[in-house]
């Protein structure tokens, strides 16, 4: 079986991390395969939303530690440079909504890959662990960038230094993730959310993502200017016309992602 399983359901691309016996931890093959699958989603116009989920009881336990210490395996610098950095860059730069459906424990790079997605939902029994400190490493995969922005400097510092396990409910309360679903309905609710996104005005959502990315470094003047430019672009899409027409005609819109 491939370590990354891809399935397209109408306009939704579902990416499954698939090394369940290793809690979907990343080896080189899986990291490169996730990268190429993300590239394929980006270049395929029929895909309008991506959902990432884990097979089995975990979302992802981060780096495969057997590979990390193997003499034949890639050196640590390469693991960060060639495996995780490109994954995070792609998750942020692909102008499609990306949902992380955290079906179980998300640890180390696994947690930070989930948090780099646009919307993170989790099953009630899931948990998040900044597992790096326990093995003498620093948080990578964008964690030192993302986590303080989500939950504030203090909480992020504590979670990263202590490496304690945060249950899904607490992660939702502290603003680390969007929503927790009950275990029984998790898959259905996650798919419902991602399917809804896949039928919305894709270009508008992509430009929203571009604006949000830029807001991390822009000042207010720069951001207002950018909003003006991006709004002009959004206003030229088919889906804008369709959105307004369907509202005025009191009918459901039929967005095409164009
Ligand atoms: O070179 C570098 O490392 C740089 C890159 C850094 C990025 C990182 O992600 S660093 C952080 C790496 N991840 C971790 O440190 C997490 C290690 N795993 C755990 O702490 C625990 O497994 C969990 C808290 C995630 C889950 O605990 P639990 O009790 O539910 O499961 P378990 O029994 O520990 O694990 C089940 C199996 O998965 C087990 O194998 P076995 O005994 O059944 O054959 C375990 O060894 C394996 N497994 C879990 N995590 C990893 C792993 N195998 C390899 N690498 C893992 N990360």
């Amino acid at each position: 079986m491939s370590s990354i399983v891809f399935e397209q359901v109408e306009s939704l691309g579902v990416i499954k991390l698939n090394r369940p016996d290793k809690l979907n931890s990343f080896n080189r093959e899986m990291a490169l395969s996730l990268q190429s699958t993300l590239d394929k989603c980006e270049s395929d116009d029929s895909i309008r939303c991506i959902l990432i989920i884990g097979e089995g009881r975990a979302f992802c336990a981060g780096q495969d530690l057997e590979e990390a210490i193997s003499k034949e395996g890639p050196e640590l610098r390469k693991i960060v440079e060639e495996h995780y950095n490109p994954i995070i860059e792609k998750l942020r730069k692909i102008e499609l909504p990306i949902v992380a459906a955290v079906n179980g424990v998300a640890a180390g790079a696994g947690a930070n890959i989930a948090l780099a997605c646009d919307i993170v939902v989790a099953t009630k029994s899931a948990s998040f662990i900044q597992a790096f400190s326990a093995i003498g490493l620093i948080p990578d995969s964008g964690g030192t960038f993302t986590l303080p922005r989500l939950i504030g400097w203090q909480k992020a510092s504590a979670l990263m230094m202590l490496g304690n396990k945060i249950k899904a409910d607490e992660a939702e309360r502290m603003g680390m993730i969007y929503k927790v679903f009950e275990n029984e309905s998790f898959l259905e609710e996650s798919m419902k959310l991602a399917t809804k996104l896949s039928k919305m005005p894709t270009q508008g959502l992509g430009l929203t993502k571009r604006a949000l990315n830029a807001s991390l470094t822009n000042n207010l003047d720069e951001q207002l200017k950018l909003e003006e430019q991006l709004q002009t672009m959004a206003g030229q899409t088919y889906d804008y016309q369709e959105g307004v027409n369907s509202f005025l005609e009191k009918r459901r819109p039929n967005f095409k992602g164009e």
Side-chain angles (χ1 to χ4, degrees), residues 1-7 14-20 24-38 40-41 51-55 59-60 87:
M1 265 308 250
S2 170
S3 61
I4 294 291
V5 175
F6 178 76
E7 187 192 359
V14 179
I15 298 177
K16 194 175 272 184
L17 311 177
N18 189 38
R19 297 181 76 225
N24 302 321
S25 58
F26 275 96
N27 58 15
R28 182 171 175 81
E29 188 274 322
M30 177 162 139
L32 298 184
S33 174
L34 176 57
Q35 290 174 26
S36 62
T37 306
L38 288 170
K40 270 187 230 148
C41 290
L51 179 134
I52 304 178
I53 193 166
E55 174 64 36
F59 177 74
C60 172
I87 290 173

Side-chain angles (χ1 to χ4, degrees), residues 19-26 57-58 60-69 74-77 79-80 84 105-111 127 129-135 137-141 165:
R19 297 181 76 225
D21 54 328
K22 300 284 176 193
L23 302 191
N24 302 321
S25 58
F26 275 96
R57 72 179 175 93
C60 172
Q63 171 61 31
D64 182 323
L65 294 175
E66 283 173 30
E67 180 188 75
I69 56 152
E75 61 185 86
L76 197 148
R77 186 185 59 76
I79 290 178
V80 178
Y84 299 119
V105 64
S127 55
I129 313 173
Q130 292 293 321
F132 309 87
S133 60
I135 54 170
L137 292 181
I138 71 137
D140 59 20
S141 305
K165 184 191 275 195

Side-chain angles (χ1 to χ4, degrees), residues 226-239:
L226 182 66
E227 286 179 2
E228 182 188 317
Q229 288 165 5
L230 299 183
Q231 193 69 295
T232 306
M233 289 165 71
Q236 289 163 357
T237 61
Y238 169 89
D239 285 343

Side-chain angles (χ1 to χ4, degrees), residues 191-205:
M191 287 293 287
K192 199 160 102 187
L193 174 80
T195 302
K196 177 178 176 168
L197 287 162
S198 76
K199 295 185 173 166
M200 288 179 67
T202 310
Q203 295 202 33
L205 299 187

Side-chain angles (χ1 to χ4, degrees), residues 77-102:
R77 186 185 59 76
K78 279 198 164 184
I79 290 178
V80 178
E81 184 190 9
E82 295 179 8
H83 301 184
Y84 299 119
N85 288 358
I87 290 173
I88 301 303
E89 282 162 9
K90 287 175 198 300
L91 291 173
R92 293 311 319 148
K93 284 182 186 155
I94 294 174
E95 291 195 340
L96 292 174
I98 304 183
V99 177
V102 179

Side-chain angles (χ1 to χ4, degrees), residues 6 45 95 124 153 185 240:
F6 178 76
D45 287 345
E95 291 195 340
K124 193 136 184 128
W153 187 278
S185 57
Y240 168 62

